[in-house]
Amino acid sequence: MGTAALLVTPTELAVTAFAFVTLLGDAWVLFVGLALGYWIGPRIDETTRPAAATGIAIATLALTVVLAAKSYTAIPRPAAMPIDPAGLPGTLSGFVAGELDSGGFSFPSGHATGATAVYGSLGLLLTVGRRRWRYLLAGGAIGLISLSRLVLQVHYPRDVLAGMALGAGLVAGGIWVVRDGDRWRVDRGFLLAGVAAVVGVVVAWQGGHAEELRHGMIGVGTAVGGGGVWYQYGERLISGPAVSVPIAAGGLGVAGGLWIGAYEGLFGLIGAAVGSAVGVAIILGLPLAESWRQKRA
C-alpha cells in the first residue's frame, strides 16, 4: 500500500524532476556555488579564485539587467500549470508548488540568463580539466535549466531564448571588461552591474513595482560592496590563502542572513542596499580574514 501511494504519472515525474533541475539556476544556488569556488580556489589552481570572482560580478550584472528588462516589459508569466502539485506525495507537493509559482514578470527568463552568464563564464574562464569537457558541462547545465523553465510552464519559449542570448552577450561583455591583460579587474564588472542596477531601480520605481525596486537596491548594494572590496584589495585577494571551513561557515552565515533579510524586505530599501553591500564584502573579503587567522596561529 505504501508503494502504491507513492506512484505518480509520467508527467508528474517529469515536472518534479525538472523542478529540481531548475534549482541549479536559482540565484542563491549560483551565488553560493560561486562563493565556495572563490574560497577554495587556491587549492585548485591560480585562476579559480579570480574566475569565480568574475562569475559573481557577471551574475550580479545578469540579475540587474534582467530586473530592468522585466520591470520595463512587465509581461505576466503563463497562467497554466503543467500538473496539480496537490496530487504529489508528501513534501514534494509543497516544493513543486513553489517552483510552479507564476508570480512576477516573464520576459526575459532570469534562470536562463543567470545560468548562461554563470556557467558560460566559468566554462570560458576556468582552466580545470579539458576545455571541451568544460564547454559540454556548461552547455548541458544551461540547456537543462532553460528547458526546465518551459517544462514547468513558468516561461514562454521567447523568454528562455531571449534569456540565453542575453546571458551570452553579458558573458562576452563582462569578460571583455574584466580582463585587462594579465590583470583581473573584477571591480569593473561590478561597476557595470551597478550601472545596470541603477537603471533597474529607476524603471521599477517608475512602474510602481515594489518587489523589483527592492531587488534593484540589492543589486546596487552588491555592486558597490563587491566593486569597492576588489578595487581596494583585488591583488591581495587573488594571492590570499584558501578559506578554512570555520571562516567560510561563519562568513556564509552572516552574509546569507543579510541577503535573506534584504530579499525579505526586513531592512527597508536603504537597508537592503547596505545589507547586500556588507554581505558581498564579507564573501569577497574572507581570504583576508583567513590570512590574518593564519598569521595569528
Side-chain angles (χ1 to χ4, degrees):
M1 293 295 292
T3 302
L6 293 176
L7 292 179
V8 295
T9 68
T11 300
E12 290 174 332
L13 183 61
V15 169
T16 301
F18 276 101
F20 283 99
V21 169
T22 210
L23 290 176
L24 298 176
D26 281 5
W28 70 270
V29 172
L30 296 177
F31 276 101
V32 169
L34 287 168
L36 292 175
Y38 174 81
W39 292 332
I40 67 173
R43 295 179 181 173
I44 301 173
D45 64 26
E46 62 183 8
T47 66
T48 299
R49 173 166 289 165
T54 301
I56 295 173
I58 293 178
T60 305
L61 173 63
L63 295 177
T64 54
V65 170
V66 166
L67 168 71
K70 285 189 173 184
S71 296
Y72 179 75
T73 57
I75 299 174
R77 294 182 186 268
M81 298 180 71
I83 64 170
D84 179 4
L88 295 173
T91 57
L92 282 179
S93 177
F95 165 70
V96 174
E99 297 304 317
L100 296 178
D101 179 22
S102 59
F105 300 129
S106 178
F107 184 88
S109 166
H111 277 70
T113 306
T116 303
V118 171
Y119 296 115
S121 62
L122 292 179
L124 289 170
L125 293 174
L126 291 175
T127 58
V128 179
R130 294 185 178 182
R131 181 180 302 175
R132 177 185 303 175
W133 284 108
R134 293 201 310 272
Y135 290 176
L136 285 174
L137 289 173
I142 294 167
L144 284 173
I145 292 167
S146 299
L147 177 61
S148 74
R149 308 309 285 169
L150 300 178
V151 173
L152 299 178
Q153 294 185 19
V154 292
H155 280 291
Y156 300 103
R158 69 187 179 201
D159 305 335
V160 170
L161 293 175
M164 294 172 71
L166 176 60
L170 294 177
V171 169
I175 292 177
W176 180 76
V177 167
V178 167
R179 292 306 301 266
D180 183 13
D182 293 333
R183 299 184 64 193
W184 296 79
R185 295 298 306 274
V186 180
D187 51 302
R188 293 179 178 176
F190 281 113
L191 175 61
L192 192 60
V195 173
V198 170
V199 172
V201 165
V202 172
V203 174
W205 175 71
Q206 290 182 334
H209 307 310
E211 184 175 357
E212 284 71 20
L213 178 58
R214 184 173 69 253
H215 291 176
M217 293 298 290
I218 293 172
V220 170
T222 302
V224 171
V229 168
W230 198 271
Y231 179 81
Q232 187 70 27
Y233 303 108
E235 296 301 321
R236 290 176 59 187
L237 293 172
I238 290 176
S239 61
V243 178
S244 61
V245 172
I247 295 290
L252 185 59
V254 175
L258 290 171
W259 263 320
I260 291 173
Y263 270 100
E264 292 298 323
L266 301 181
F267 309 142
L269 291 179
I270 300 301
V274 173
S276 56
V278 174
V280 75
I282 291 172
I283 295 296
L284 294 180
L286 284 189
L288 300 180
E290 180 63 34
S291 179
W292 177 82
R293 186 193 69 83
Q294 292 183 9
K295 290 178 181 178
R296 290 288 301 271

